[in-house]
PDB file of all heavy atoms in Angstrom:
ATOM      1  N   LYS A  76      -8.708   1.354  -9.664  1.00 97.00           N
ATOM      2  CA  LYS A  76      -7.531   1.958 -10.285  1.00 97.00           C
ATOM      3  C   LYS A  76      -7.635   1.951 -11.807  1.00 97.00           C
ATOM      4  O   LYS A  76      -7.316   2.939 -12.462  1.00 97.00           O
ATOM      5  CB  LYS A  76      -6.265   1.190  -9.895  1.00 97.00           C
ATOM      6  CG  LYS A  76      -5.560   1.711  -8.708  1.00 97.00           C
ATOM      7  CD  LYS A  76      -4.237   0.963  -8.549  1.00 97.00           C
ATOM      8  CE  LYS A  76      -3.516   1.404  -7.321  1.00 97.00           C
ATOM      9  NZ  LYS A  76      -2.267   0.678  -7.139  1.00 97.00           N
ATOM     10  N   ASP A  77      -8.046   0.830 -12.371  1.00 96.00           N
ATOM     11  CA  ASP A  77      -8.054   0.674 -13.827  1.00 96.00           C
ATOM     12  C   ASP A  77      -9.042   1.588 -14.530  1.00 96.00           C
ATOM     13  O   ASP A  77      -8.770   2.062 -15.630  1.00 96.00           O
ATOM     14  CB  ASP A  77      -8.354  -0.781 -14.213  1.00 96.00           C
ATOM     15  CG  ASP A  77      -7.234  -1.729 -13.845  1.00 96.00           C
ATOM     16  OD1 ASP A  77      -6.102  -1.254 -13.552  1.00 96.00           O
ATOM     17  OD2 ASP A  77      -7.479  -2.945 -13.840  1.00 96.00           O
ATOM     18  N   THR A  78     -10.205   1.831 -13.895  1.00 97.00           N
ATOM     19  CA  THR A  78     -11.261   2.580 -14.574  1.00 97.00           C
ATOM     20  C   THR A  78     -11.536   3.952 -13.959  1.00 97.00           C
ATOM     21  O   THR A  78     -12.173   4.783 -14.596  1.00 97.00           O
ATOM     22  CB  THR A  78     -12.577   1.790 -14.544  1.00 97.00           C
ATOM     23  OG1 THR A  78     -13.018   1.693 -13.176  1.00 97.00           O
ATOM     24  CG2 THR A  78     -12.421   0.400 -15.154  1.00 97.00           C
ATOM     25  N   GLY A  79     -11.116   4.158 -12.717  1.00 96.00           N
ATOM     26  CA  GLY A  79     -11.455   5.384 -12.003  1.00 96.00           C
ATOM     27  C   GLY A  79     -12.889   5.401 -11.504  1.00 96.00           C
ATOM     28  O   GLY A  79     -13.347   6.379 -10.926  1.00 96.00           O
ATOM     29  N   GLN A  80     -13.612   4.307 -11.710  1.00 97.00           N
ATOM     30  CA  GLN A  80     -15.031   4.226 -11.330  1.00 97.00           C
ATOM     31  C   GLN A  80     -15.179   4.155  -9.812  1.00 97.00           C
ATOM     32  O   GLN A  80     -14.477   3.412  -9.133  1.00 97.00           O
ATOM     33  CB  GLN A  80     -15.670   3.005 -11.982  1.00 97.00           C
ATOM     34  CG  GLN A  80     -17.144   2.893 -11.728  1.00 97.00           C
ATOM     35  CD  GLN A  80     -17.775   1.700 -12.448  1.00 97.00           C
ATOM     36  OE1 GLN A  80     -17.101   0.782 -12.879  1.00 97.00           O
ATOM     37  NE2 GLN A  80     -19.081   1.734 -12.563  1.00 97.00           N
ATOM     38  N   TRP A  81     -16.134   4.948  -9.280  1.00 98.00           N
ATOM     39  CA  TRP A  81     -16.472   4.906  -7.861  1.00 98.00           C
ATOM     40  C   TRP A  81     -17.152   3.569  -7.576  1.00 98.00           C
ATOM     41  O   TRP A  81     -18.098   3.193  -8.265  1.00 98.00           O
ATOM     42  CB  TRP A  81     -17.427   6.062  -7.545  1.00 98.00           C
ATOM     43  CG  TRP A  81     -17.766   6.258  -6.094  1.00 98.00           C
ATOM     44  CD1 TRP A  81     -17.145   7.103  -5.226  1.00 98.00           C
ATOM     45  CD2 TRP A  81     -18.824   5.637  -5.349  1.00 98.00           C
ATOM     46  NE1 TRP A  81     -17.746   7.044  -3.991  1.00 98.00           N
ATOM     47  CE2 TRP A  81     -18.781   6.145  -4.044  1.00 98.00           C
ATOM     48  CE3 TRP A  81     -19.792   4.690  -5.669  1.00 98.00           C
ATOM     49  CZ2 TRP A  81     -19.676   5.757  -3.049  1.00 98.00           C
ATOM     50  CZ3 TRP A  81     -20.678   4.295  -4.682  1.00 98.00           C
ATOM     51  CH2 TRP A  81     -20.618   4.817  -3.388  1.00 98.00           C
ATOM     52  N   VAL A  82     -16.666   2.850  -6.576  1.00 98.00           N
ATOM     53  CA  VAL A  82     -17.255   1.543  -6.257  1.00 98.00           C
ATOM     54  C   VAL A  82     -17.841   1.481  -4.851  1.00 98.00           C
ATOM     55  O   VAL A  82     -18.526   0.521  -4.520  1.00 98.00           O
ATOM     56  CB  VAL A  82     -16.257   0.388  -6.467  1.00 98.00           C
ATOM     57  CG1 VAL A  82     -15.784   0.356  -7.902  1.00 98.00           C
ATOM     58  CG2 VAL A  82     -15.077   0.465  -5.517  1.00 98.00           C
ATOM     59  N   GLY A  83     -17.563   2.497  -4.023  1.00 98.00           N
ATOM     60  CA  GLY A  83     -18.115   2.456  -2.680  1.00 98.00           C
ATOM     61  C   GLY A  83     -17.440   3.424  -1.742  1.00 98.00           C
ATOM     62  O   GLY A  83     -16.645   4.274  -2.155  1.00 98.00           O
ATOM     63  N   ARG A  84     -17.779   3.246  -0.471  1.00 97.00           N
ATOM     64  CA  ARG A  84     -17.178   4.048   0.598  1.00 97.00           C
ATOM     65  C   ARG A  84     -16.751   3.092   1.700  1.00 97.00           C
ATOM     66  O   ARG A  84     -17.517   2.207   2.108  1.00 97.00           O
ATOM     67  CB  ARG A  84     -18.153   5.104   1.107  1.00 97.00           C
ATOM     68  CG  ARG A  84     -19.396   4.492   1.707  1.00 97.00           C
ATOM     69  CD  ARG A  84     -20.387   5.518   2.163  1.00 97.00           C
ATOM     70  NE  ARG A  84     -21.469   4.829   2.887  1.00 97.00           N
ATOM     71  CZ  ARG A  84     -22.537   5.421   3.340  1.00 97.00           C
ATOM     72  NH1 ARG A  84     -22.707   6.713   3.173  1.00 97.00           N
ATOM     73  NH2 ARG A  84     -23.460   4.739   3.984  1.00 97.00           N
ATOM     74  N   VAL A  85     -15.548   3.281   2.165  1.00 98.00           N
ATOM     75  CA  VAL A  85     -14.977   2.393   3.175  1.00 98.00           C
ATOM     76  C   VAL A  85     -14.039   3.228   4.033  1.00 98.00           C
ATOM     77  O   VAL A  85     -13.327   4.085   3.506  1.00 98.00           O
ATOM     78  CB  VAL A  85     -14.176   1.241   2.520  1.00 98.00           C
ATOM     79  CG1 VAL A  85     -13.499   0.371   3.570  1.00 98.00           C
ATOM     80  CG2 VAL A  85     -15.059   0.393   1.612  1.00 98.00           C
ATOM     81  N   GLY A  86     -14.023   2.954   5.320  1.00 98.00           N
ATOM     82  CA  GLY A  86     -13.017   3.630   6.120  1.00 98.00           C
ATOM     83  C   GLY A  86     -13.386   3.851   7.562  1.00 98.00           C
ATOM     84  O   GLY A  86     -14.413   3.387   8.049  1.00 98.00           O
ATOM     85  N   PRO A  87     -12.516   4.612   8.241  1.00 97.00           N
ATOM     86  CA  PRO A  87     -12.718   4.901   9.652  1.00 97.00           C
ATOM     87  C   PRO A  87     -13.831   5.924   9.837  1.00 97.00           C
ATOM     88  O   PRO A  87     -13.951   6.878   9.071  1.00 97.00           O
ATOM     89  CB  PRO A  87     -11.354   5.460  10.092  1.00 97.00           C
ATOM     90  CG  PRO A  87     -10.731   6.004   8.864  1.00 97.00           C
ATOM     91  CD  PRO A  87     -11.273   5.182   7.727  1.00 97.00           C
ATOM     92  N   TRP A  88     -14.612   5.712  10.876  1.00 94.00           N
ATOM     93  CA  TRP A  88     -15.838   6.486  11.055  1.00 94.00           C
ATOM     94  C   TRP A  88     -16.180   6.484  12.532  1.00 94.00           C
ATOM     95  O   TRP A  88     -16.117   5.441  13.183  1.00 94.00           O
ATOM     96  CB  TRP A  88     -16.902   5.787  10.219  1.00 94.00           C
ATOM     97  CG  TRP A  88     -18.279   6.331  10.157  1.00 94.00           C
ATOM     98  CD1 TRP A  88     -19.413   5.669  10.562  1.00 94.00           C
ATOM     99  CD2 TRP A  88     -18.714   7.571   9.613  1.00 94.00           C
ATOM    100  NE1 TRP A  88     -20.511   6.437  10.291  1.00 94.00           N
ATOM    101  CE2 TRP A  88     -20.109   7.622   9.710  1.00 94.00           C
ATOM    102  CE3 TRP A  88     -18.057   8.649   9.056  1.00 94.00           C
ATOM    103  CZ2 TRP A  88     -20.871   8.696   9.276  1.00 94.00           C
ATOM    104  CZ3 TRP A  88     -18.800   9.722   8.618  1.00 94.00           C
ATOM    105  CH2 TRP A  88     -20.191   9.734   8.727  1.00 94.00           C
ATOM    106  N   ASN A  89     -16.522   7.627  13.076  1.00 94.00           N
ATOM    107  CA  ASN A  89     -16.889   7.692  14.491  1.00 94.00           C
ATOM    108  C   ASN A  89     -17.842   8.855  14.737  1.00 94.00           C
ATOM    109  O   ASN A  89     -17.493   9.836  15.380  1.00 94.00           O
ATOM    110  CB  ASN A  89     -15.630   7.845  15.363  1.00 94.00           C
ATOM    111  CG  ASN A  89     -15.936   7.700  16.834  1.00 94.00           C
ATOM    112  OD1 ASN A  89     -16.958   7.146  17.224  1.00 94.00           O
ATOM    113  ND2 ASN A  89     -15.056   8.206  17.660  1.00 94.00           N
ATOM    114  N   PRO A  90     -19.076   8.756  14.211  1.00 90.00           N
ATOM    115  CA  PRO A  90     -20.024   9.837  14.437  1.00 90.00           C
ATOM    116  C   PRO A  90     -20.476   9.907  15.894  1.00 90.00           C
ATOM    117  O   PRO A  90     -20.290   8.965  16.665  1.00 90.00           O
ATOM    118  CB  PRO A  90     -21.202   9.483  13.522  1.00 90.00           C
ATOM    119  CG  PRO A  90     -20.959   8.131  13.010  1.00 90.00           C
ATOM    120  CD  PRO A  90     -19.599   7.684  13.393  1.00 90.00           C
ATOM    121  N   HIS A  91     -21.078  11.021  16.230  1.00 90.00           N
ATOM    122  CA  HIS A  91     -21.604  11.223  17.587  1.00 90.00           C
ATOM    123  C   HIS A  91     -22.510  10.053  17.975  1.00 90.00           C
ATOM    124  O   HIS A  91     -23.373   9.639  17.205  1.00 90.00           O
ATOM    125  CB  HIS A  91     -22.391  12.531  17.647  1.00 90.00           C
ATOM    126  CG  HIS A  91     -23.023  12.765  18.972  1.00 90.00           C
ATOM    127  ND1 HIS A  91     -22.313  13.175  20.071  1.00 90.00           N
ATOM    128  CD2 HIS A  91     -24.304  12.596  19.390  1.00 90.00           C
ATOM    129  CE1 HIS A  91     -23.118  13.269  21.104  1.00 90.00           C
ATOM    130  NE2 HIS A  91     -24.342  12.923  20.712  1.00 90.00           N
ATOM    131  N   GLY A  92     -22.290   9.527  19.173  1.00 90.00           N
ATOM    132  CA  GLY A  92     -23.132   8.464  19.697  1.00 90.00           C
ATOM    133  C   GLY A  92     -22.657   7.066  19.346  1.00 90.00           C
ATOM    134  O   GLY A  92     -23.247   6.090  19.814  1.00 90.00           O
ATOM    135  N   TRP A  93     -21.619   6.948  18.519  1.00 90.00           N
ATOM    136  CA  TRP A  93     -21.103   5.621  18.174  1.00 90.00           C
ATOM    137  C   TRP A  93     -20.448   5.011  19.401  1.00 90.00           C
ATOM    138  O   TRP A  93     -19.874   5.716  20.233  1.00 90.00           O
ATOM    139  CB  TRP A  93     -20.062   5.756  17.067  1.00 90.00           C
ATOM    140  CG  TRP A  93     -20.363   5.013  15.801  1.00 90.00           C
ATOM    141  CD1 TRP A  93     -19.556   4.072  15.217  1.00 90.00           C
ATOM    142  CD2 TRP A  93     -21.481   5.153  14.928  1.00 90.00           C
ATOM    143  NE1 TRP A  93     -20.117   3.634  14.044  1.00 90.00           N
ATOM    144  CE2 TRP A  93     -21.310   4.279  13.847  1.00 90.00           C
ATOM    145  CE3 TRP A  93     -22.633   5.922  14.956  1.00 90.00           C
ATOM    146  CZ2 TRP A  93     -22.235   4.153  12.814  1.00 90.00           C
ATOM    147  CZ3 TRP A  93     -23.550   5.814  13.934  1.00 90.00           C
ATOM    148  CH2 TRP A  93     -23.340   4.937  12.887  1.00 90.00           C
ATOM    149  N   VAL A  94     -20.484   3.703  19.512  1.00 91.00           N
ATOM    150  CA  VAL A  94     -19.926   3.006  20.669  1.00 91.00           C
ATOM    151  C   VAL A  94     -18.401   3.172  20.734  1.00 91.00           C
ATOM    152  O   VAL A  94     -17.844   3.274  21.818  1.00 91.00           O
ATOM    153  CB  VAL A  94     -20.363   1.516  20.666  1.00 91.00           C
ATOM    154  CG1 VAL A  94     -19.861   0.783  19.442  1.00 91.00           C
ATOM    155  CG2 VAL A  94     -19.944   0.816  21.923  1.00 91.00           C
TER     156      VAL A  94
END
Side-chain angles (χ1 to χ4, degrees):
K76 267 187 183 179
D77 291 345
T78 66
Q80 184 177 17
W81 186 94
V82 301
R84 62 182 187 185
V85 176
W88 181 241
N89 189 20
H91 177 76
W93 239 237
V94 62

